[in-house]
Amino acid sequence: YNAWLSYPKLQQGPLYKQYAKWCGAVSVTEGGETIQAALQEWTRGIASLLDLEAVSKPQLEDFGVAFGTFTGDHPLLQGLFEDETVQAVGVEGFAIRTSQSLKCIAVGASSQAGVLYGVFHLLRLIASGKDIENLDEIVNPVNSLRMINHWDNFDGSVERGYSGRSFLYENNQFTKDMDRITDYARLMSTAGINAIAINNVNVHALETLFISTYLPDVARIADIFRIYGIRLYLCVNFAGPMHEGEVGTADPLDAGVKEWWKSRAADIYAAIPDFGGFVVKADSENRPGPFTYGRNHADGANMLAEALEPYGGIVIWRCFVYNCKQDWRDRKTDRARAAYDHFKPLDGQFHDNVILQIKNGPMDFQVREPVSPLFGALERTNHVIEFQIAQEYTGQQRHVCYLVPQWKEIMEFDTQAKGGPAPVKRIVDGSLWGNRLSGIAAVSNVGNDRNWTGHLLAQANLYGFGRLAWNPELSAEEIAAEWIALTFGTDTAVAGVISRILLDSWEIYESYTSPLGVGWMINPEHHYGPNVDGYEYSMWGTYHYADHQGIGVDRTVATGTGYSAQYMGSNAVRYDSLEECPDELLLFFHHVPYTHVLHSGKTVIQHIYDTHFEGAERAEGLLDAWGGLKGSIAEGLYTQVEERLQGQAAHAKEWRDQINTYFYRKSGIADALGRTIY
Ligand code: GCW
């Protein structure tokens, strides 16, 4: 339950002595709920890590820790941080310094939230066994928006939730368990999150009233989030004005509609002065939107933006817009093209307080997709990337799939915008185009399960997302190491095993599921488990076109949907070319015979067989590796993961056999190694 706030007790030794020397006393002179929360986190953390009571006193008599804002009246901080440092610390950043002469480790920030982040940082250093004798750092978050999107429904269900039910709502009521909300806010804040949208982007009837009838309940949650530096956002129903029967239309250019949203905004800000803004899924998967009135997305988003503008609120408008009533016989319509085709022409037409939210890939959070070509293409529009921490298509938190390596790869992708290099991370942090608003959002993977995420190891994705949003330069290994230390302690043998499991897991999951970027070989609706033709004859635009000769989607310019041309420079050339296209995305861009030879030297069919046999074996290997930890970590933690890994190993075999059998039957080509295929 405490997840990365577990702070396992550190071993006695030289480092322990060092920590005990500095951490016995703490001095905080400022009031304010966020500073007080920071103080509480500090004393809790130190008690847990060092079994030490950090005595709080106004002045330090001997070694100790001091923290506060630069404008606060703490004499130690004022003496310690010169102007240059103060200026270098951004709104949410902090400076941290060890002064041997003043016998003080000081954390200073421009805001109280910055102080809180700084305190968490110091705790993390200690938990990871880092030296704190010579600290001298200025740390600022790289991305200004670091957001979590809940897909929680008011009835207590969670769309694509794999960790129990919602802890925000139950039976169309807001939870009364404010302690859990507080603990959630603490966890999010430690991970660096500063924005949370608390309801599903699919806004149903009752949730439509969150901006009116239920505002007092929403405000109670915002009050808790505020303490931890988090702004609350709501998903809104574009047809809201009609829903309550007050206005006969939701046309964004209608004066009555505009007024309706303005008065909602006024009510919201009266209840929640620091309300973040709206998240909107419009004209997407049957949700209402501006198309109904012959208006475009800019008309829709700008109308809402005008309502929020006087209060500094923002509109986050999702780009997950595509035709979900496609005819599978129609091979020209390509869902992958949709976001770009809809939004590229509107570039520059959105108000300054609108952010477009773009899923990382052009389809939908598959285990492997190319990066959405909208990154790099939007030159004059604020935008953020959307990841999915919830493992909808990556094992639903029954399989381990550490997604940070995938996100890293996406963030490093060079879009070649502006002549390049222009990696996605420089686009989403706003630096490439000089965007005022930018950052990263992700779909949450939490629920009311005791361990928050169902699979204990899925906590690493939640923590990792926050850390990566804070600093995309952190490596997947570093993030895993932090999470492991904070959760399991500093035993290097234990850390080595868990780290290996995490770092291998995405590749393993990919290898026994969908090959070579093809995707969607899953059971319809719930999306769990293999079903090669599950989405083949559907209306969702999600096909692989396997027949007895070959497989893959032709997205080339000459003979396919032309999607490859949405990329820039050599990316467009590389993806379009059968010879140059990277193996892992081959079937995303090309339809090839099973006998096509990959860069790896294998044929497509042999690649499918090999990866599926190996993948299932490696999934078994994860279980064996975990088995080695028996006795070295707490029994409760050990067994819950062991159970999941057993399930994964068995389920990986099911994947292996269904996929291999399907392609053997289609192609008639035998496995070169003669392994069992049914
Ligand atoms: O992947 C799809 C999910 C839907 C989800 C949608 C979206 C919230 O299957 O459950 O709806 O994406 O992102 O809007």
Side-chain angles (χ1 to χ4, degrees):
Y1 179 79
N2 288 325
W4 52 89
L5 289 169
S6 295
Y7 297 127
K9 200 150 302 310
L10 293 168
Q11 307 292 322
Q12 294 288 338
L15 270 174
Y16 179 91
K17 282 212 188 88
Q18 181 191 117
Y19 300 149
K21 175 181 90 182
W22 289 102
C23 302
V26 54
S27 160
V28 176
T29 54
E30 262 169 281
E33 51 186 10
T34 303
I35 291 263
Q36 291 306 314
L39 179 58
Q40 206 180 26
E41 291 302 325
W42 177 254
T43 43
R44 272 197 203 195
I46 290 308
S48 174
L49 285 163
L50 306 175
D51 219 351
L52 192 73
E53 192 194 338
V55 182
S56 173
K57 31 181 125 177
Q59 274 174 349
L60 296 176
E61 288 128 29
D62 203 350
F63 289 96
V65 171
F67 51 80
T69 61
F70 298 129
T71 48
D73 54 4
H74 202 297
L76 275 173
L77 294 178
Q78 285 180 342
L80 226 143
F81 295 115
E82 65 289 353
D83 286 355
E84 216 179 36
T85 303
V86 171
Q87 258 127 50
V89 174
V91 245
E92 294 179 298
F94 57 87
I96 185 164
R97 187 173 289 169
T98 310
S99 166
Q100 297 290 349
S101 57
L102 297 175
K103 295 187 177 170
C104 163
I105 294 179
V107 177
S110 6
S111 67
Q112 295 213 345
V115 174
L116 183 63
Y117 291 131
V119 166
F120 283 137
H121 179 81
L122 186 53
L123 283 167
R124 186 159 48 226
L125 291 177
I126 296 172
S128 330
K130 300 274 167 29
D131 193 304
I132 58 170
E133 287 288 340
N134 300 295
L135 297 173
D136 190 8
E137 278 185 273
I138 294 173
V139 182
N140 288 306
V142 173
N143 290 290
S144 53
L145 189 80
R146 305 177 301 277
M147 179 175 217
I148 293 286
N149 289 183
H150 279 262
W151 285 359
D152 294 35
N153 299 314
F154 204 25
D155 66 7
S157 63
V158 180
E159 182 152 351
R160 312 308 174 186
Y162 311 106
S163 320
R165 310 259 308 161
S166 172
F167 56 75
L168 294 162
Y169 323 106
E170 215 182 300
N171 294 323
N172 297 326
Q173 291 194 328
F174 278 76
T175 182
K176 302 209 168 43
D177 186 357
M178 288 304 175
D179 290 343
R180 180 127 196 187
I181 305 279
T182 302
D183 286 335
Y184 179 55
R186 294 173 56 224
L187 282 169
M188 290 301 93
S189 169
T190 345
I193 297 299
N194 67 355
I196 301 181
I198 61 167
N199 61 316
N200 189 355
V201 289
N202 292 323
V203 183
H204 309 111
L206 285 173
E207 292 92 333
T208 300
L209 308 180
F210 277 19
I211 54 173
S212 50
T213 318
Y214 294 103
L215 256 183
D217 297 293
V218 175
R220 269 192 287 281
I221 296 182
D223 289 342
I224 294 178
F225 283 3
R226 185 174 306 116
I227 300 174
Y228 296 94
I230 299 165
R231 284 185 178 217
L232 185 144
Y233 289 68
L234 286 174
C235 293
V236 293
N237 180 351
F238 193 79
M242 298 171 77
H243 187 85
E244 292 179 60
E246 290 169 43
V247 190
T249 172
D251 181 349
L253 301 192
D254 179 273
V257 169
K258 290 184 183 189
E259 270 319 302
W260 189 88
W261 284 107
K262 282 184 179 154
S263 88
R264 284 295 86 80
D267 294 349
I268 294 170
Y269 281 92
I272 310 168
D274 61 344
F275 179 69
F278 296 151
V279 178
V280 193
K281 172 176 179 177
D283 287 316
S284 162
E285 300 188 329
N286 308 312
R287 306 314 299 162
F291 285 174
T292 312
Y293 310 96
R295 316 295 182 198
N296 66 29
H297 290 284
D299 297 327
N302 290 341
M303 180 274 294
L304 294 174
E306 272 167 35
L308 298 179
E309 208 268 335
Y311 314 95
I314 59 178
V315 172
I316 302 182
W317 190 272
R318 294 176 87 231
C319 295
F320 186 56
V321 178
Y322 67 99
N323 177 1
C324 66
K325 301 226 166 51
Q326 199 181 319
D327 185 338
W328 59 267
R329 298 164 193 85
D330 160 20
R331 288 180 81 141
K332 274 293 164 199
T333 306
D334 181 4
R335 170 165 165 180
R337 294 188 56 115
Y340 184 102
D341 285 345
H342 280 291
F343 288 92
K344 170 70 180 163
L346 300 177
D347 188 19
Q349 295 182 28
F350 293 90
H351 284 194
D352 195 31
N353 61 330
V354 174
I355 302 181
L356 297 183
Q357 179 164 310
I358 308 164
K359 287 193 181 184
N360 62 257
M363 296 298 278
D364 194 7
F365 304 131
Q366 299 302 293
V367 67
R368 174 78 63 174
E369 283 185 50
V371 170
S372 169
L374 264 181
F375 295 105
L378 294 177
E379 303 181 8
R380 289 164 298 142
T381 306
N382 297 318
H383 51 295
V384 297
I385 195 166
E386 176 178 340
F387 291 130
Q388 193 184 38
I389 313 174
Q391 291 171 237
E392 176 176 1
Y393 301 99
T394 48
Q396 303 199 349
Q397 287 143 245
R398 291 194 244 175
H399 295 228
V400 54
C401 190
Y402 178 54
L403 291 165
V404 177
Q406 186 200 52
W407 301 332
K408 282 289 290 182
E409 209 171 284
I410 294 162
M411 297 285 273
E412 296 299 332
F413 176 75
D414 182 5
T415 65
Q416 302 189 22
K418 266 188 166 178
V424 170
K425 66 182 177 192
R426 290 287 157 261
I427 293 172
V428 303
D429 72 11
S431 60
L432 188 80
W433 301 112
N435 300 104
R436 183 173 76 88
L437 302 169
S438 58
I440 314 195
V443 181
S444 143
N445 67 345
V446 294
N448 71 355
D449 276 358
R450 187 76 199 147
N451 69 4
W452 304 91
T453 54
H455 203 310
L456 179 72
L457 299 182
Q459 286 182 0
N461 285 330
L462 186 57
Y463 177 79
F465 167 72
R467 295 291 290 142
L468 193 69
W470 179 279
N471 179 11
E473 300 307 323
L474 289 172
S475 70
E477 289 83 351
E478 285 169 309
I479 292 174
E482 283 182 6
W483 177 75
I484 293 166
L486 292 164
T487 312
F488 296 97
T490 50
D491 180 329
T492 47
V494 169
V497 171
I498 302 177
S499 171
R500 206 57 273 144
I501 290 176
L502 290 175
L503 292 166
D504 288 346
S505 60
W506 173 41
E507 189 183 292
I508 293 175
Y509 188 79
E510 180 178 21
S511 66
Y512 60 77
T513 58
S514 293
L516 304 166
V518 76
W520 299 105
M521 297 179 170
I522 44 167
N523 285 301
E525 287 169 22
H526 61 71
H527 297 168
Y528 189 71
N531 183 344
V532 182
D533 283 337
Y535 272 105
E536 196 54 16
Y537 306 101
S538 77
M539 57 186 188
W540 297 95
T542 45
Y543 319 111
H544 53 65
Y545 301 125
D547 60 19
H548 71 292
Q549 288 171 317
I551 175 173
V553 189
D554 185 352
R555 292 191 161 104
T556 62
V557 174
T559 53
T561 68
Y563 166 76
S564 61
Q566 290 184 343
Y567 290 88
M568 273 170 271
S570 64
N571 288 331
V573 178
R574 198 159 50 104
Y575 289 148
D576 199 62
S577 150
L578 182 57
E579 290 71 40
E580 285 183 47
C581 185
D583 284 352
E584 71 273 11
L585 288 171
L586 183 74
L587 303 181
F588 194 95
F589 286 97
H590 298 273
H591 185 90
V592 298
Y594 294 113
T595 50
H596 175 86
V597 180
L598 299 166
H599 294 128
S600 68
K602 290 183 184 178
T603 59
V604 165
I605 190 73
Q606 196 56 41
H607 172 92
I608 293 175
Y609 296 151
D610 288 351
T611 48
H612 285 78
F613 282 116
E614 281 159 22
E617 227 170 80
R618 291 179 74 195
E620 189 82 48
L622 294 174
L623 177 62
D624 295 341
W626 187 260
L629 296 178
K630 200 174 168 72
S632 313
I633 59 174
E635 177 76 18
L637 302 186
Y638 176 81
T639 46
Q640 51 172 298
V641 175
E642 183 187 44
E643 271 167 33
R644 300 252 162 172
L645 290 174
Q646 281 163 350
Q648 176 175 358
H651 199 232
K653 292 196 181 93
E654 191 59 29
W655 269 101
R656 174 195 70 194
D657 292 338
Q658 284 205 32
I659 302 284
N660 283 344
T661 301
Y662 178 98
F663 287 104
Y664 173 61
R665 290 182 186 173
K666 277 263 153 149
S667 69
I669 301 173
D671 171 32
L673 299 180
R675 290 163 289 194
T676 308
I677 296 178
Y678 299 87

